[in-house]
Amino acid sequence: MKKSVLLILIMIFISACGSKHTRNLLTSGNYDMAIDNSISNLRSNKDKKGNQDYVYILEEAFAKAKERDVNSINLLTQDTKPSNLEKIYNTYLLLNNRQEKIKPLLPLKLIQEGRNAKFPFNNYNSQITKTKNTLSNYLYGSSKEMLLSLNKMDCRKAYDDLAYLNRINPGYKDVLNLMSEAQFKGTDFVKVSLNNETNMILPIRLQNDLLDFDAFKMNDKWTAYHNQLQKGIDYDFQLILNFRRIDVSPEQLKEKEIIKEREIKDGLKNLVDKNGELIKDSLGEPIKVDNFKTVRVRIYEFSQFKGCKIMAQVDYVNAKNNQLLESFPLSSESVFENTYATYKGDKRASDDSYYSYFDKRNLPFPSNEQMVYNTGEDLKDKLKDIISRNRFRK
Protein backbone atom coordinates (compact mmCIF):
# COMPACT_ATOMS: atom_id res chain seq x y z
CA MET A 1 0.00 0.00 0.00
CA LYS A 2 2.78 2.40 0.97
CA LYS A 3 4.60 1.62 -2.27
CA SER A 4 1.48 2.41 -4.32
CA VAL A 5 1.00 5.77 -2.57
CA LEU A 6 4.66 6.60 -3.07
CA LEU A 7 4.44 5.73 -6.76
CA ILE A 8 1.38 7.95 -7.20
CA LEU A 9 3.15 10.85 -5.47
CA ILE A 10 6.19 10.40 -7.70
CA MET A 11 4.02 10.44 -10.83
CA ILE A 12 2.23 13.58 -9.66
CA PHE A 13 5.57 15.25 -8.96
CA ILE A 14 6.94 14.32 -12.39
CA SER A 15 3.77 15.60 -14.08
CA ALA A 16 3.91 18.86 -12.13
CA CYS A 17 7.55 19.37 -13.08
CA GLY A 18 6.72 18.71 -16.74
CA SER A 19 3.89 21.24 -16.88
CA LYS A 20 5.99 23.79 -14.97
CA HIS A 21 8.78 23.44 -17.54
CA THR A 22 6.28 23.87 -20.36
CA ARG A 23 4.79 26.92 -18.64
CA ASN A 24 8.30 28.41 -18.40
CA LEU A 25 8.70 27.91 -22.15
CA LEU A 26 5.47 29.82 -22.69
CA THR A 27 6.42 32.72 -20.45
CA SER A 28 9.86 32.98 -22.04
CA GLY A 29 8.36 33.29 -25.53
CA ASN A 30 9.22 29.78 -26.80
CA TYR A 31 5.63 29.32 -27.93
CA ASP A 32 6.13 26.54 -30.45
CA MET A 33 8.21 24.49 -28.06
CA ALA A 34 5.52 24.93 -25.41
CA ILE A 35 2.94 23.84 -28.00
CA ASP A 36 4.96 20.76 -28.96
CA ASN A 37 5.44 19.76 -25.30
CA SER A 38 1.75 20.21 -24.57
CA ILE A 39 0.68 18.19 -27.63
CA SER A 40 3.10 15.43 -26.72
CA ASN A 41 1.61 15.12 -23.23
CA LEU A 42 -2.00 15.38 -24.40
CA ARG A 43 -1.69 12.91 -27.24
CA SER A 44 -1.78 9.82 -25.00
CA ASN A 45 -4.70 10.93 -22.75
CA LYS A 46 -6.11 14.37 -23.47
CA ASP A 47 -9.02 13.99 -20.99
CA LYS A 48 -6.85 13.12 -18.01
CA LYS A 49 -7.38 15.62 -15.17
CA GLY A 50 -3.63 15.79 -14.56
CA ASN A 51 -3.19 17.10 -18.10
CA GLN A 52 -5.46 20.12 -17.70
CA ASP A 53 -2.45 22.43 -17.31
CA TYR A 54 -1.28 21.44 -20.75
CA VAL A 55 -4.65 22.36 -22.27
CA TYR A 56 -4.46 25.85 -20.77
CA ILE A 57 -0.83 26.24 -21.89
CA LEU A 58 -1.67 25.05 -25.41
CA GLU A 59 -4.58 27.49 -25.72
CA GLU A 60 -2.49 30.44 -24.56
CA ALA A 61 0.66 29.50 -26.51
CA PHE A 62 -1.32 29.07 -29.72
CA ALA A 63 -2.98 32.49 -29.38
CA LYS A 64 0.31 34.25 -28.63
CA ALA A 65 2.24 32.47 -31.38
CA LYS A 66 -0.45 33.30 -33.92
CA GLU A 67 -0.52 36.96 -32.87
CA ARG A 68 3.29 37.18 -33.11
CA ASP A 69 3.41 35.59 -36.58
CA VAL A 70 0.55 37.67 -38.00
CA ASN A 71 2.23 40.85 -36.74
CA SER A 72 5.50 39.70 -38.29
CA ILE A 73 3.83 39.12 -41.66
CA ASN A 74 2.19 42.57 -41.55
CA LEU A 75 5.52 44.22 -40.79
CA LEU A 76 7.38 42.31 -43.51
CA THR A 77 4.64 43.08 -46.04
CA GLN A 78 4.81 46.82 -45.33
CA ASP A 79 8.59 46.74 -45.91
CA THR A 80 7.98 45.51 -49.51
CA LYS A 81 11.51 44.12 -49.88
CA PRO A 82 11.52 41.12 -52.24
CA SER A 83 13.97 39.40 -49.91
CA ASN A 84 11.18 39.30 -47.28
CA LEU A 85 9.06 37.00 -49.43
CA GLU A 86 10.73 33.84 -48.18
CA LYS A 87 10.17 34.83 -44.53
CA ILE A 88 6.53 35.65 -45.25
CA TYR A 89 6.00 32.35 -47.07
CA ASN A 90 7.62 30.31 -44.29
CA THR A 91 5.59 32.15 -41.64
CA TYR A 92 2.35 31.28 -43.42
CA LEU A 93 3.50 27.66 -43.54
CA LEU A 94 4.25 27.82 -39.82
CA LEU A 95 0.80 29.20 -39.05
CA ASN A 96 -0.82 26.45 -41.09
CA ASN A 97 1.33 23.61 -39.76
CA ARG A 98 0.72 24.69 -36.18
CA GLN A 99 -3.02 24.36 -36.72
CA GLU A 100 -2.61 20.94 -38.31
CA LYS A 101 -0.73 19.69 -35.25
CA ILE A 102 -3.58 20.67 -32.94
CA LYS A 103 -6.56 19.57 -35.04
CA PRO A 104 -6.30 15.82 -34.25
CA LEU A 105 -6.60 16.58 -30.50
CA LEU A 106 -9.82 18.61 -30.73
CA PRO A 107 -12.01 19.08 -28.85
CA LEU A 108 -9.96 19.77 -25.73
CA LYS A 109 -12.05 20.26 -22.60
CA LEU A 110 -11.38 22.77 -19.83
CA ILE A 111 -13.18 20.90 -17.08
CA GLN A 112 -13.35 23.62 -14.40
CA GLU A 113 -14.69 26.20 -16.86
CA GLY A 114 -17.10 23.78 -18.52
CA ARG A 115 -15.96 24.71 -22.03
CA ASN A 116 -13.69 23.61 -24.83
CA ALA A 117 -10.37 25.32 -25.35
CA LYS A 118 -10.51 27.91 -28.13
CA PHE A 119 -8.24 27.72 -31.17
CA PRO A 120 -9.38 30.25 -33.80
CA PHE A 121 -8.13 28.61 -36.99
CA ASN A 122 -7.78 30.33 -40.35
CA ASN A 123 -7.53 29.03 -43.88
CA TYR A 124 -4.12 30.13 -45.15
CA ASN A 125 -4.22 28.24 -48.47
CA SER A 126 -4.70 31.30 -50.65
CA GLN A 127 -1.99 33.29 -48.85
CA ILE A 128 0.43 30.34 -49.09
CA THR A 129 -0.26 29.86 -52.79
CA LYS A 130 -0.03 33.55 -53.61
CA THR A 131 3.17 34.08 -51.64
CA LYS A 132 4.73 30.92 -53.07
CA ASN A 133 4.05 32.11 -56.62
CA THR A 134 5.40 35.59 -55.92
CA LEU A 135 8.47 34.13 -54.21
CA SER A 136 8.99 31.66 -57.06
CA ASN A 137 8.89 34.45 -59.62
CA TYR A 138 11.36 36.52 -57.59
CA LEU A 139 13.81 33.64 -57.08
CA TYR A 140 13.62 32.70 -60.74
CA GLY A 141 14.31 36.25 -61.92
CA SER A 142 17.08 36.99 -59.44
CA SER A 143 18.77 33.64 -60.17
CA LYS A 144 18.79 34.28 -63.93
CA GLU A 145 20.33 37.66 -63.25
CA MET A 146 23.04 36.17 -61.03
CA LEU A 147 23.87 33.61 -63.72
CA LEU A 148 24.96 36.50 -65.97
CA SER A 149 27.75 37.23 -63.48
CA LEU A 150 31.30 35.96 -63.92
CA ASN A 151 31.55 35.58 -60.16
CA LYS A 152 31.35 31.89 -59.25
CA MET A 153 29.97 32.69 -55.79
CA ASP A 154 27.01 34.44 -57.45
CA CYS A 155 26.39 31.32 -59.52
CA ARG A 156 26.52 29.14 -56.42
CA LYS A 157 24.03 31.44 -54.71
CA ALA A 158 21.82 31.16 -57.79
CA TYR A 159 22.06 27.36 -57.60
CA ASP A 160 20.99 27.32 -53.94
CA ASP A 161 18.06 29.65 -54.65
CA LEU A 162 16.97 27.54 -57.62
CA ALA A 163 17.24 24.34 -55.56
CA TYR A 164 15.02 25.94 -52.92
CA LEU A 165 12.61 27.07 -55.62
CA ASN A 166 12.46 23.53 -56.98
CA ARG A 167 11.62 22.20 -53.51
CA ILE A 168 8.74 24.56 -52.86
CA ASN A 169 7.46 24.65 -56.44
CA PRO A 170 8.59 21.53 -58.37
CA GLY A 171 8.47 21.79 -62.14
CA TYR A 172 8.52 25.59 -62.21
CA LYS A 173 9.51 26.74 -65.71
CA ASP A 174 13.04 25.62 -66.72
CA VAL A 175 14.46 25.59 -63.19
CA LEU A 176 16.23 22.22 -63.61
CA ASN A 177 18.08 23.48 -66.70
CA LEU A 178 19.08 26.65 -64.88
CA MET A 179 20.34 24.56 -61.94
CA SER A 180 22.60 22.63 -64.32
CA GLU A 181 23.89 25.89 -65.74
CA ALA A 182 24.50 27.30 -62.25
CA GLN A 183 26.29 24.10 -61.22
CA PHE A 184 28.65 24.33 -64.20
CA LYS A 185 29.30 28.07 -63.87
CA GLY A 186 29.84 27.83 -60.12
CA THR A 187 32.28 24.92 -60.26
CA ASP A 188 36.03 25.34 -59.87
CA PHE A 189 37.77 23.20 -62.49
CA VAL A 190 41.23 22.01 -61.48
CA LYS A 191 43.81 20.58 -63.88
CA VAL A 192 45.90 17.94 -62.13
CA SER A 193 49.41 17.11 -63.34
CA LEU A 194 52.58 15.39 -62.17
CA ASN A 195 56.12 16.65 -62.59
CA ASN A 196 59.11 14.35 -62.01
CA GLU A 197 62.30 16.28 -61.17
CA THR A 198 64.20 13.22 -59.90
CA ASN A 199 66.67 11.01 -61.72
CA MET A 200 64.39 7.99 -61.37
CA ILE A 201 61.58 6.82 -63.59
CA LEU A 202 58.26 6.77 -61.76
CA PRO A 203 56.26 3.56 -62.21
CA ILE A 204 53.42 4.16 -64.68
CA ARG A 205 51.04 2.44 -62.28
CA LEU A 206 51.94 4.93 -59.51
CA GLN A 207 51.53 7.92 -61.83
CA ASN A 208 48.09 6.71 -62.88
CA ASP A 209 47.06 6.10 -59.27
CA LEU A 210 48.22 9.53 -58.11
CA LEU A 211 46.31 11.25 -60.91
CA ASP A 212 43.14 9.20 -60.48
CA PHE A 213 41.09 11.71 -58.51
CA ASP A 214 37.91 9.78 -59.18
CA ALA A 215 39.33 6.97 -57.05
CA PHE A 216 40.35 9.56 -54.45
CA LYS A 217 36.71 10.71 -54.37
CA MET A 218 37.96 14.29 -54.13
CA ASN A 219 35.41 15.81 -56.50
CA ASP A 220 32.82 17.70 -54.50
CA LYS A 221 29.79 19.84 -55.25
CA TRP A 222 31.83 22.82 -56.40
CA THR A 223 35.24 21.35 -57.35
CA ALA A 224 36.07 19.05 -60.26
CA TYR A 225 39.56 17.60 -60.79
CA HIS A 226 40.68 16.58 -64.30
CA ASN A 227 43.90 14.76 -65.13
CA GLN A 228 43.20 15.25 -68.84
CA LEU A 229 42.27 18.57 -70.44
CA GLN A 230 38.64 18.60 -71.54
CA LYS A 231 37.19 20.67 -74.34
CA GLY A 232 35.01 23.58 -73.39
CA ILE A 233 36.48 23.87 -69.90
CA ASP A 234 38.15 27.09 -68.82
CA TYR A 235 40.30 25.86 -65.94
CA ASP A 236 40.48 27.92 -62.77
CA PHE A 237 43.34 26.22 -60.93
CA GLN A 238 46.18 23.76 -61.39
CA LEU A 239 47.33 21.18 -58.89
CA ILE A 240 50.90 20.10 -59.66
CA LEU A 241 52.52 17.22 -57.80
CA ASN A 242 56.28 17.81 -58.05
CA PHE A 243 58.56 14.88 -57.23
CA ARG A 244 61.74 16.48 -55.86
CA ARG A 245 63.80 13.50 -54.71
CA ILE A 246 63.62 9.73 -54.47
CA ASP A 247 66.15 7.81 -52.38
CA VAL A 248 66.30 4.03 -52.44
CA SER A 249 68.85 2.44 -50.12
CA PRO A 250 71.10 -0.47 -51.17
CA GLU A 251 70.02 -4.00 -50.31
CA GLN A 252 71.41 -4.86 -46.89
CA LEU A 253 71.85 -8.28 -45.32
CA LYS A 254 73.28 -8.33 -41.80
CA GLU A 255 74.31 -11.50 -40.02
CA LYS A 256 74.68 -11.98 -36.29
CA GLU A 257 75.90 -15.08 -34.44
CA ILE A 258 74.54 -15.77 -30.96
CA ILE A 259 75.42 -18.62 -28.58
CA LYS A 260 72.83 -19.62 -26.00
CA GLU A 261 72.96 -22.05 -23.11
CA ARG A 262 70.08 -23.17 -20.94
CA GLU A 263 69.45 -25.74 -18.24
CA ILE A 264 66.46 -27.81 -19.23
CA LYS A 265 64.47 -30.66 -17.76
CA ASP A 266 65.41 -33.98 -19.37
CA GLY A 267 63.31 -36.73 -17.86
CA LEU A 268 63.60 -38.16 -14.33
CA LYS A 269 66.39 -39.71 -12.26
CA ASN A 270 66.68 -41.57 -8.96
CA LEU A 271 67.31 -39.49 -5.89
CA VAL A 272 70.56 -40.48 -4.11
CA ASP A 273 72.28 -39.32 -0.97
CA LYS A 274 75.77 -37.89 -0.72
CA ASN A 275 77.20 -41.37 -0.71
CA GLY A 276 75.42 -42.28 -3.94
CA GLU A 277 72.95 -44.57 -2.23
CA LEU A 278 69.32 -44.69 -3.47
CA ILE A 279 66.78 -42.85 -1.35
CA LYS A 280 63.52 -44.73 -1.11
CA ASP A 281 60.02 -43.86 0.00
CA SER A 282 58.04 -45.53 2.78
CA LEU A 283 57.08 -48.38 0.42
CA GLY A 284 60.64 -49.07 -0.48
CA GLU A 285 60.39 -47.60 -3.99
CA PRO A 286 63.18 -45.33 -5.32
CA ILE A 287 62.24 -41.65 -5.20
CA LYS A 288 62.29 -39.96 -8.63
CA VAL A 289 63.31 -36.31 -9.21
CA ASP A 290 63.62 -34.09 -12.31
CA ASN A 291 66.80 -34.57 -14.26
CA PHE A 292 68.30 -31.32 -15.58
CA LYS A 293 70.99 -30.91 -18.17
CA THR A 294 72.66 -27.98 -19.90
CA VAL A 295 72.07 -27.62 -23.61
CA ARG A 296 73.78 -25.30 -26.09
CA VAL A 297 72.83 -23.77 -29.44
CA ARG A 298 74.55 -21.54 -31.99
CA ILE A 299 72.07 -19.15 -33.66
CA TYR A 300 72.72 -17.38 -36.96
CA GLU A 301 70.39 -14.40 -37.24
CA PHE A 302 69.96 -12.68 -40.62
CA SER A 303 68.31 -9.26 -41.14
CA GLN A 304 67.30 -8.03 -44.60
CA PHE A 305 66.63 -4.32 -45.09
CA LYS A 306 65.84 -1.95 -47.95
CA GLY A 307 64.32 1.51 -47.62
CA CYS A 308 62.78 4.15 -49.86
CA LYS A 309 61.99 7.81 -49.24
CA ILE A 310 60.09 10.14 -51.54
CA MET A 311 60.12 13.91 -51.15
CA ALA A 312 57.61 15.92 -53.13
CA GLN A 313 55.70 19.19 -53.15
CA VAL A 314 52.11 20.02 -53.96
CA ASP A 315 51.67 23.34 -55.76
CA TYR A 316 48.37 25.21 -56.07
CA VAL A 317 48.48 27.49 -59.11
CA ASN A 318 46.02 30.06 -60.46
CA ALA A 319 45.37 28.80 -63.99
CA LYS A 320 44.32 32.27 -65.19
CA ASN A 321 47.70 33.93 -64.57
CA ASN A 322 49.99 31.01 -63.60
CA GLN A 323 50.59 32.58 -60.20
CA LEU A 324 51.64 30.20 -57.43
CA LEU A 325 49.05 30.33 -54.67
CA GLU A 326 50.33 27.86 -52.08
CA SER A 327 52.81 25.00 -51.71
CA PHE A 328 52.67 22.04 -49.38
CA PRO A 329 55.59 19.68 -48.64
CA LEU A 330 54.85 16.00 -49.08
CA SER A 331 57.05 13.07 -48.09
CA SER A 332 56.69 9.39 -47.43
CA GLU A 333 58.88 6.44 -46.47
CA SER A 334 58.59 2.68 -46.72
CA VAL A 335 60.91 -0.15 -45.71
CA PHE A 336 61.33 -3.79 -46.57
CA GLU A 337 62.44 -5.78 -43.54
CA ASN A 338 62.78 -9.51 -43.01
CA THR A 339 64.48 -11.32 -40.14
CA TYR A 340 65.10 -15.05 -40.17
CA ALA A 341 67.46 -17.43 -38.39
CA THR A 342 69.08 -20.84 -38.55
CA TYR A 343 70.77 -22.79 -35.76
CA LYS A 344 73.19 -25.55 -34.89
CA GLY A 345 72.87 -27.47 -31.69
CA ASP A 346 69.94 -27.97 -29.38
CA LYS A 347 67.07 -25.67 -30.38
CA ARG A 348 65.70 -25.80 -26.82
CA ALA A 349 68.56 -23.62 -25.58
CA SER A 350 67.28 -20.59 -27.56
CA ASP A 351 64.82 -17.96 -26.35
CA ASP A 352 61.20 -18.49 -27.32
CA SER A 353 61.29 -15.28 -29.38
CA TYR A 354 63.61 -16.94 -31.89
CA TYR A 355 61.24 -19.76 -32.71
CA SER A 356 59.28 -17.63 -35.21
CA TYR A 357 62.53 -16.67 -36.94
CA PHE A 358 63.46 -20.34 -37.40
CA ASP A 359 60.27 -20.78 -39.46
CA LYS A 360 61.22 -17.97 -41.85
CA ARG A 361 63.55 -17.96 -44.83
CA ASN A 362 65.42 -15.49 -47.01
CA LEU A 363 63.09 -13.42 -49.21
CA PRO A 364 63.94 -11.80 -52.55
CA PHE A 365 64.47 -8.05 -52.23
CA PRO A 366 61.81 -5.93 -53.98
CA SER A 367 62.98 -4.01 -57.01
CA ASN A 368 63.58 -0.27 -56.83
CA GLU A 369 60.43 0.25 -58.88
CA GLN A 370 58.37 -1.80 -56.43
CA MET A 371 59.85 0.10 -53.48
CA VAL A 372 58.90 3.42 -55.09
CA TYR A 373 55.39 2.15 -55.79
CA ASN A 374 54.95 0.89 -52.23
CA THR A 375 56.07 4.26 -50.89
CA GLY A 376 53.66 5.98 -53.23
CA GLU A 377 50.73 4.11 -51.66
CA ASP A 378 51.27 6.07 -48.45
CA LEU A 379 51.93 9.20 -50.50
CA LYS A 380 48.42 8.95 -51.98
CA ASP A 381 46.81 9.08 -48.54
CA LYS A 382 48.90 12.11 -47.55
CA LEU A 383 48.08 13.87 -50.83
CA LYS A 384 44.37 13.28 -50.24
CA ASP A 385 44.70 14.69 -46.72
CA ILE A 386 46.42 17.86 -48.01
CA ILE A 387 43.68 18.46 -50.59
CA SER A 388 40.92 17.76 -48.06
CA ARG A 389 42.32 20.31 -45.60
CA ASN A 390 43.34 22.96 -48.13
CA ARG A 391 40.66 23.96 -50.60
CA PHE A 392 41.50 26.15 -53.58
CA ARG A 393 38.78 28.68 -52.82
CA LYS A 394 38.60 29.68 -49.16
Side-chain angles (χ1 to χ4, degrees):
M1 181 64 180
K2 290 182 178 179
K3 288 184 178 179
S4 298
V5 173
L6 179 60
L7 182 60
I8 292 171
L9 291 174
I10 291 174
M11 294 300 293
I12 291 173
F13 175 76
I14 292 174
S15 178
C17 290
S19 61
K20 182 178 180 181
H21 171 67
T22 307
R23 172 67 65 179
N24 288 338
L25 291 173
L26 170 62
T27 56
S28 61
N30 293 320
Y31 303 134
D32 282 298
M33 194 173 291
I35 289 171
D36 289 341
N37 277 15
S38 299
I39 291 174
S40 177
N41 283 279
L42 291 168
R43 190 176 288 121
S44 58
N45 191 348
K46 66 177 186 177
D47 296 323
K48 182 181 176 182
K49 288 185 178 181
N51 283 338
Q52 281 289 285
D53 282 349
Y54 290 112
V55 179
Y56 280 103
I57 294 171
L58 183 59
E59 183 182 51
E60 185 178 351
F62 175 81
K64 290 184 175 181
K66 179 181 179 180
E67 180 184 13
R68 177 200 61 195
D69 291 344
V70 170
N71 288 338
S72 176
I73 288 174
N74 291 335
L75 184 62
L76 291 169
T77 303
Q78 290 173 15
D79 194 13
T80 69
K81 288 182 181 177
S83 57
N84 290 336
L85 287 170
E86 183 178 342
K87 294 179 182 178
I88 295 172
Y89 173 68
N90 287 327
T91 305
Y92 275 126
L93 288 179
L94 181 60
L95 284 163
N96 186 69
N97 292 339
R98 189 183 295 130
Q99 293 180 167
E100 295 303 315
K101 288 181 184 178
I102 297 173
K103 282 180 181 179
L105 294 175
L106 300 182
L108 287 172
K109 296 178 181 179
L110 292 172
I111 299 172
Q112 287 187 350
E113 298 185 25
R115 66 175 179 89
N116 291 332
K118 296 178 181 179
F119 300 97
F121 291 161
N122 293 88
N123 188 332
Y124 297 106
N125 290 341
S126 62
Q127 292 96 322
I128 291 174
T129 301
K130 180 180 178 181
T131 309
K132 180 178 71 172
N133 290 336
T134 306
L135 174 60
S136 298
N137 186 58
Y138 164 70
L139 291 173
Y140 181 83
S142 64
S143 296
K144 290 193 71 172
E145 186 175 340
M146 282 188 284
L147 286 177
L148 298 175
S149 170
L150 298 178
N151 188 315
K152 287 185 180 289
M153 304 313 292
D154 287 341
C155 295
R156 295 179 186 183
K157 174 64 167 59
Y159 179 91
D160 291 338
D161 285 351
L162 290 166
Y164 174 70
L165 170 54
N166 191 54
R167 285 198 303 272
I168 66 172
N169 203 348
Y172 187 85
K173 296 185 179 181
D174 57 340
V175 164
L176 294 180
N177 290 334
L178 290 177
M179 285 178 64
S180 297
E181 180 183 345
Q183 177 79 64
F184 181 81
K185 289 184 174 181
T187 295
D188 283 324
F189 291 97
V190 183
K191 175 65 175 70
V192 182
S193 60
L194 186 149
N195 182 32
N196 184 10
E197 299 176 3
T198 73
N199 57 1
M200 292 189 66
I201 298 175
L202 291 174
I204 296 298
R205 188 168 47 144
L206 176 60
Q207 294 185 51
N208 291 337
D209 286 353
L210 286 170
L211 295 177
D212 188 0
F213 274 59
D214 288 335
F216 281 1
K217 296 181 179 179
M218 293 307 303
N219 292 322
D220 58 37
K221 182 178 178 180
W222 297 116
T223 312
Y225 297 88
H226 296 165
N227 54 28
Q228 296 290 335
L229 290 174
Q230 296 186 14
K231 292 182 179 179
I233 300 295
D234 185 15
Y235 287 91
D236 303 282
F237 302 101
Q238 293 184 65
L239 186 153
I240 306 172
L241 177 56
N242 294 294
F243 279 79
R244 301 294 195 194
R245 183 173 174 180
I246 299 176
D247 294 326
V248 181
S249 71
E251 298 174 358
Q252 301 176 42
L253 178 62
K254 295 181 180 180
E255 180 180 351
K256 182 168 58 175
E257 181 179 328
I258 304 166
I259 298 175
K260 293 282 187 178
E261 287 186 352
R262 178 183 287 183
E263 193 176 58
I264 65 170
K265 180 180 177 180
D266 186 38
L268 299 173
K269 67 179 180 178
N270 293 324
L271 182 63
V272 298
D273 59 18
K274 62 182 179 178
N275 297 320
E277 298 292 330
L278 285 175
I279 299 176
K280 300 180 179 180
D281 59 20
S282 59
L283 298 177
E285 297 293 331
I287 296 175
K288 300 288 185 179
V289 294
D290 291 334
N291 181 48
F292 289 92
K293 72 173 185 179
T294 300
V295 293
R296 191 168 185 268
V297 68
R298 188 182 299 272
I299 300 171
Y300 302 94
E301 181 183 310
F302 301 91
S303 297
Q304 292 177 270
F305 177 87
K306 187 175 183 179
C308 177
K309 183 174 183 179
I310 296 177
M311 286 161 283
Q313 179 175 298
V314 181
D315 289 338
Y316 283 12
V317 177
N318 185 327
K320 307 296 184 184
N321 55 20
N322 289 323
Q323 181 181 350
L324 178 65
L325 301 176
E326 286 187 273
S327 291
F328 306 94
L330 181 63
S331 64
S332 181
E333 295 182 65
S334 69
V335 297
F336 165 80
E337 291 181 293
N338 179 48
T339 301
Y340 63 97
T342 60
Y343 65 91
K344 289 183 179 180
D346 196 319
K347 179 180 178 182
R348 294 174 296 175
S350 65
D351 296 333
D352 293 343
S353 59
Y354 279 100
Y355 276 60
S356 62
Y357 294 156
F358 295 148
D359 296 331
K360 295 181 178 180
R361 292 294 179 265
N362 178 282
L363 295 177
F365 282 95
S367 65
N368 287 0
E369 180 179 347
Q370 185 62 47
M371 289 295 298
V372 172
Y373 182 79
N374 292 344
T375 310
E377 287 294 295
D378 176 62
L379 202 71
K380 287 192 293 185
D381 292 332
K382 291 182 176 179
L383 174 60
K384 183 176 180 179
D385 182 61
I386 286 175
I387 298 171
S388 298
R389 291 186 290 105
N390 301 278
R391 295 295 178 181
F392 280 89
R393 195 178 295 275
K394 305 304 182 183

